[in-house]
Amino acid sequence: MEALQIFVAIFILALASSLTFASDPSPLQDFCVAINDPKGSGMSSLQILSFFLSYLCLCLMNIQTCTGYESYDLSHSYLSHPFIRHLYSSFSNINSSFFLLLLCLLTENSAKMQSLAKQMTSNFSGLHIRKNTSNTFGSTVTPVNVAQMPGLHTLGISMVRIDYAPNGGLNPPHTHPRASEVLVVLEGTLHVGFVTSNPDNRLISKVLYPGEVFVFPVGLIHFQYNIGNTYAVAFAGLSSENPGVITIANAVFGSNPSINADILAKAFNLDRKMVKNLQSKF
């Protein structure tokens, strides 16, 4: 019976681990991933495992421990399940406090998992509406990532709609540090391309018509340019729920604080006055 108790405890730890270690295939942020409410996040699998090992050590020393959980409300969450109630009753002749304590720790996450389940049903609407492209670049990107749709969390996918003004609407050179992108044109004619990494810096480009698809590999600089005289629309899927975006010109000439003009002048082989002029535009 003691072996069965240990087996069930390890089984529950395995279930907890599968929830704790679920994650995006790539980092969710530039620097780290944080929890907004650490006090209500429950115990991690590592904490539960540490407690489990401590309990075994105490048992080996014949120290009575883990008392006070015998009166835990069996109608609560996981404990209300017939299988769990059966396991609990099977431990009636031995100290089942540790088994109950593990379930107590797991039920701390019950409300959060129910909340996440509700978020998973969330949706985003409005991608059928043409967006205003009256701006400097003549384009508008409408993202649908984890910020707009929490249900995408840990799924590793997101998408965008991109609208381009006629005669030169541009989605300027940029990169996604955490995702590859596959783009399909719905309306208009786009000249698209990306540049490979050093030392080749080879431009791979193509003119796309409605129904045609192009792929931009993760991290590479790419662009789309409307060469037609009508509005253009494209949709793109990305391989992260939070792909990130770095617009090259904005990052280089519009950083905050500004990069030293002498550095940029030397890097781009430009006059310092021209660099200052470019920085003033961002």
Side-chain angles (χ1 to χ4, degrees):
M1 185 63 72
E2 291 181 0
L4 177 61
Q5 183 180 11
I6 294 175
F7 171 78
V8 172
I10 294 175
F11 174 75
I12 295 174
L13 285 172
L15 291 178
S17 298
S18 65
L19 294 173
T20 302
F21 294 118
S23 63
D24 189 36
S26 57
L28 301 182
Q29 308 292 341
D30 288 334
F31 303 107
C32 65
V33 179
I35 299 174
N36 291 331
D37 184 19
K39 292 183 179 180
S41 60
M43 292 187 71
S44 68
S45 294
L46 182 59
Q47 290 173 308
I48 296 175
L49 180 59
S50 298
F51 184 89
F52 174 62
L53 294 176
S54 300
Y55 177 82
L56 289 181
C57 292
L58 291 173
C59 289
L60 290 175
M61 294 186 293
N62 295 318
I63 297 177
Q64 184 66 26
T65 185
C66 297
T67 59
Y69 289 90
E70 290 80 357
S71 60
Y72 190 79
D73 183 8
L74 291 179
S75 65
H76 189 285
S77 189
Y78 297 104
L79 295 182
S80 63
H81 194 282
F83 175 70
I84 299 298
R85 294 175 68 91
H86 173 72
L87 287 177
Y88 174 74
S89 63
S90 68
F91 295 150
S92 58
N93 295 326
I94 61 175
N95 184 0
S96 59
S97 299
F98 176 65
F99 172 71
L100 282 174
L101 180 57
L102 279 176
L103 292 175
C104 293
L105 297 175
L106 289 175
T107 54
E108 289 184 31
N109 287 318
S110 177
K112 285 189 173 292
M113 287 190 291
Q114 292 174 6
S115 175
L116 179 59
K118 291 181 180 179
Q119 291 178 351
M120 290 294 290
T121 63
S122 63
N123 57 68
F124 185 93
S125 60
L127 290 182
H128 63 292
I129 301 173
R130 187 183 300 279
K131 309 304 178 183
N132 183 9
T133 56
S134 299
N135 53 54
T136 302
F137 298 118
S139 70
T140 297
V141 177
T142 305
V144 183
N145 55 44
V146 72
Q148 292 79 33
M149 189 174 175
L152 292 175
H153 182 59
T154 75
L155 297 184
I157 55 173
S158 60
M159 66 179 298
V160 296
R161 170 186 170 127
I162 314 171
D163 290 84
Y164 310 84
N167 301 309
L170 171 69
N171 190 10
H174 63 281
T175 178
H176 301 292
R178 295 181 289 273
S180 295
E181 175 182 350
V182 55
L183 179 138
V184 57
V185 177
L186 269 66
E187 301 176 23
T189 306
L190 295 179
H191 172 54
V192 305
F194 65 86
V195 179
T196 63
S197 57
N198 296 347
D200 295 336
N201 298 128
R202 181 184 174 194
L203 173 64
I204 309 294
S205 64
K206 182 176 175 57
V207 174
L208 298 182
Y209 300 93
E212 294 188 326
V213 175
F214 197 82
V215 174
F216 306 106
V218 59
L220 297 186
I221 297 173
H222 58 281
F223 61 87
Q224 302 104 38
Y225 183 65
N226 185 3
I227 60 175
N229 56 11
T230 62
Y231 281 97
V233 178
F235 278 78
L238 298 110
S239 60
S240 171
E241 69 258 29
N242 186 14
V245 60
I246 301 172
T247 304
I248 306 306
N250 296 60
V252 173
F253 295 105
S255 64
N256 184 23
S258 299
I259 299 175
N260 187 298
D262 293 326
I263 295 174
L264 296 181
K266 189 168 186 177
F268 288 92
N269 195 24
L270 297 173
D271 180 78
R272 190 177 190 278
K273 184 180 294 186
M274 184 176 293
V275 170
K276 297 296 288 185
N277 181 52
L278 287 171
Q279 288 179 322
S280 68
K281 297 180 183 296
F282 293 91

